[in-house]
Amino acid sequence: FYSHSNETIRQHIGVISGTWNTAKNLFIKTEIALINTNFRGTVKDSHTTFRTTVDANYSWKNFMLNLFAKAKEKQLTNSYIYEQHYTQYGGSIRWSNNNWHLEIGTNNPFTNNNYIEKTYASPAYTYDNRIHSKTFQQTGYLKLIYRFSFGKKYNIENKNINTHSDSAIMKAE
């Protein structure tokens, strides 16, 4: 909820998300959101956005396969501008061994003209803009990571945690 002089913005957001272990090595994460934005005052406008995302991970030995997708959506921002985002999708394969990690991935491999469209319309002024970002176009990437392991080592398996305490702070013994 936002209020400035005679302008009032109200947003109602509902989100349902979950992660399911559908098979031994397969995890699927989904999110569904409903966002309702209402303007009252000089500008009277409202819009409801439906947002969906899905992310699947399959692991086998030292490998992990990831696939993701986010559906196209149109939303009304707090500055009275409509933003339309395109569908985003992609995937990656990761290999891990000790401190080494190698990841090869792609974003939007079959879409060649992604953009964000912004529009605003009032009786006195109209605005229409398309933003073309190279970041969200057809891209492929390669990550090579080495994690340094130095510093004090902790063994947390041998800790005995007292859960019968009235304190909100848990103590390990």
Side-chain angles (χ1 to χ4, degrees), residues 5 10 15 34 40 68 70 81 86 100 120 145 173:
S5 67
R10 293 183 189 263
V15 178
L34 193 65
R40 296 293 175 256
F68 69 91
K70 180 181 176 191
I81 296 173
Y86 50 84
W100 286 101
Y120 173 78
I145 301 168
E173 300 169 353

Side-chain angles (χ1 to χ4, degrees), residues 29-136:
K29 181 174 80 170
T30 60
E31 179 181 290
I32 298 171
L34 193 65
I35 304 166
N36 179 267
T37 305
N38 293 299
F39 290 99
R40 296 293 175 256
T42 307
V43 176
K44 291 181 174 52
D45 200 357
S46 66
H47 183 75
T48 301
T49 301
F50 184 67
R51 177 181 296 160
T52 57
T53 60
V54 64
D55 191 351
N57 290 300
Y58 181 78
S59 59
W60 176 71
K61 296 185 179 180
N62 292 350
F63 293 92
M64 183 173 75
L65 171 68
N66 171 259
L67 299 172
F68 69 91
K70 180 181 176 191
K72 184 176 183 177
E73 70 179 59
K74 184 176 183 179
Q75 64 185 9
L76 182 58
T77 68
N78 291 347
S79 55
Y80 311 116
I81 296 173
Y82 282 96
E83 282 188 2
Q84 184 163 328
H85 297 258
Y86 50 84
T87 302
Q88 298 175 26
Y89 59 95
S92 65
I93 297 173
R94 175 185 280 185
W95 170 80
S96 298
N97 190 6
N98 295 327
N99 292 345
W100 286 101
H101 302 280
L102 175 67
E103 183 175 333
I104 299 171
T106 183
N107 293 319
N108 306 309
F110 306 110
T111 308
N112 59 5
N113 194 15
N114 288 328
Y115 59 88
I116 298 172
E117 185 173 350
K118 295 183 176 191
T119 57
Y120 173 78
S122 73
Y125 177 74
T126 301
Y127 169 85
D128 189 13
N129 188 16
R130 285 188 176 190
I131 300 169
H132 184 85
S133 172
K134 289 184 178 183
T135 305
F136 299 114

